Amino acid sequence: MLKLVIDNQKKEEELLTCRSCSLYDPISDACGIWSEADINDPILVYRCEEYIPNDLEDTSNPLKETYSLIEEVDEDPVFYQMFGQIDMAKNYPAQPEYDPKRTDVTWYVNQEKQFGCWILNTSSKRFVVINDESPVVGWHKNVYKSPYPLHDHDSSPSIAPFMCWFVDEDGYGQYVLLVEGEKRMITAPRPKNFK
C-alpha cells in the first residue's frame, strides 16, 4: 500500500511540486520536460528522476525523505510523453527503435507479442523461478519480484520504445522510462519503511 505522507507541521504552500523545480516554466505554467504533467502533484516530484530544486545548493529532496508506506494509491502511475518526442514505434514491439545508450539492457517482447520493453536487471539473483499467476508483490500492485514484466505498460506509441522493466537489487521489478541511458521516471518509488 502506498501513500504520500506529509509532515502536518508544514503549511500547504511548502509542499514540493513541479513549481519548486528548476525545470518548471512559469510562463507556460508547465514542466519543461514532461508534456501534460500535473505540476501540482507532489507525488510526481518523488517519481521524477529529473527533479532539480530551485535552490541549486540544496541537493536533497525533502519529499523523498518523508515518503513512507501506509496505504495503496489506487491509480496506476502515468508516464508522460517528453516534449519534442516523435513517434518512433514503427516496428514496435518486435524490434527496439531506440538506442538505450547502455550495454546492460536487453530488449524483451512478451510471449503474445503484445508489448515490448527494455530490461535492466541489477539484482544479485539474475535467474529466479517465478509464478506468473501470483508473484511476490512489493509496495505497489505493479511492483513485484520478477526478472521480466507480467503486465503491459500500456504506454502511448511515442514512449513505448523508452519503457524499461527495472529490477532492483532485491529482485523487485517495475517500469521506468529509460532515456539517454538513464532512468527518468519511475512507477512507484520504494518507500523508506518498506522491508
Side-chain angles (χ1 to χ4, degrees):
M1 306 218 141
L2 287 177
K3 185 174 181 177
L4 178 66
V5 177
I6 304 296
D7 181 358
N8 291 333
Q9 302 302 318
K10 290 186 176 186
K11 296 178 183 170
E12 189 167 333
E13 61 269 14
E14 293 181 55
L15 290 179
L16 289 180
T17 65
C18 295
R19 296 174 195 276
S20 59
C21 175
S22 294
L23 300 172
Y24 166 72
D25 178 17
I27 295 171
S28 63
D29 192 32
C31 173
I33 294 180
W34 305 112
S35 171
E36 300 176 18
D38 180 358
I39 60 169
N40 297 311
D41 182 2
I43 293 176
L44 182 58
V45 173
Y46 186 71
R47 290 182 55 223
C48 183
E49 298 291 319
E50 299 297 321
Y51 177 79
I52 302 171
N54 282 328
D55 178 2
L56 294 177
E57 293 179 12
D58 180 12
T59 58
S60 67
N61 182 339
L63 184 62
K64 290 185 180 184
E65 294 167 8
T66 60
Y67 188 77
S68 54
L69 178 71
I70 59 172
E71 75 178 65
E72 182 175 343
V73 175
D74 292 330
E75 298 175 28
D76 287 335
V78 174
F79 288 98
Y80 300 98
Q81 180 171 320
M82 294 176 292
F83 282 112
Q85 201 171 356
I86 58 171
D87 184 8
M88 298 174 54
K90 296 175 198 148
N91 295 319
Y92 177 84
Q95 299 173 340
E97 307 236 359
Y98 159 69
D99 178 5
K101 308 255 190 298
R102 295 183 74 118
T103 58
D104 58 347
V105 295
T106 304
W107 183 252
Y108 166 82
V109 178
N110 75 324
Q111 281 185 322
E112 295 80 21
K113 299 189 179 1
Q114 297 168 325
F115 69 93
C117 67
W118 294 100
I119 293 181
L120 173 58
N121 190 338
T122 61
S123 173
S124 58
K125 296 179 182 177
R126 299 271 177 160
F127 303 103
V128 294
V129 177
I130 62 164
N131 180 348
D132 286 2
E133 307 302 318
S134 58
V136 175
V137 177
W139 51 93
H140 185 273
K141 66 181 179 177
N142 290 334
V143 177
Y144 46 85
K145 286 196 172 190
S146 177
Y148 56 88
L150 303 176
H151 70 284
D152 190 346
H153 46 73
D154 291 324
S155 297
S156 68
S158 63
I159 65 169
F162 298 90
M163 295 306 298
C164 176
W165 182 252
F166 171 67
V167 182
D168 69 14
E169 61 277 354
D170 296 324
Y172 287 99
Q174 64 178 299
Y175 283 114
V176 299
L177 272 178
L178 187 67
V179 181
E180 295 295 318
E182 301 292 328
K183 295 180 296 177
R184 302 294 185 187
M185 179 78 66
I186 192 163
T187 299
R190 186 181 194 131
K192 65 179 181 176
N193 62 342
F194 181 81
K195 303 284 185 222

